[in-house]
Amino acid sequence: MVDTEHDKQLTKYIRITGDRDAKFVEFDFAIHDPTLFVELVLPQQAFQHFCEVNHVIEMTAEQQAWNDAQEDKWRYGIEPTILNNTRKPTDQDDQT
């Protein structure tokens, strides 16, 4: 059985990753933990309905930056630090 009262208490996050005015909206969606998300694509009207039904909030700039840094760590094996949170090219990167 689904506990709908508990579901209502969970914060639901979105992060738009594509063009907001495009025919389709590309976005990340997370429940409770903004670092654990799925990538979704919906038509504009369906996206608006999705946001209304789920009572979503947009991820903060800090949450987005953390997710970006973790993605770089996963893709490139580079752990961000407080002093340097940008990726540096390595010898393995395609330089073309």
Side-chain angles (χ1 to χ4, degrees), residues 42-57:
L42 288 173
Q44 192 68 246
Q45 189 174 15
F47 172 73
Q48 295 301 327
H49 181 71
F50 178 88
C51 291
E52 290 170 12
V53 168
N54 287 291
H55 307 287
V56 301
I57 62 171

Side-chain angles (χ1 to χ4, degrees), residues 18-72:
D19 183 2
R20 284 184 183 262
D21 299 321
K23 184 176 180 181
F24 292 93
V25 181
E26 300 172 40
F27 64 102
D28 297 337
F29 176 66
I31 300 174
H32 182 64
D33 180 357
T35 65
L36 183 61
F37 58 90
V38 295
E39 298 173 352
L40 300 172
V41 178
L42 288 173
Q44 192 68 246
Q45 189 174 15
F47 172 73
Q48 295 301 327
H49 181 71
F50 178 88
C51 291
E52 290 170 12
V53 168
N54 287 291
H55 307 287
V56 301
I57 62 171
E58 286 205 45
M59 291 182 197
T60 65
E62 292 81 16
Q63 291 166 331
Q64 292 179 34
W66 175 259
N67 286 347
D68 289 343
Q70 293 306 307
E71 189 171 299
D72 281 352

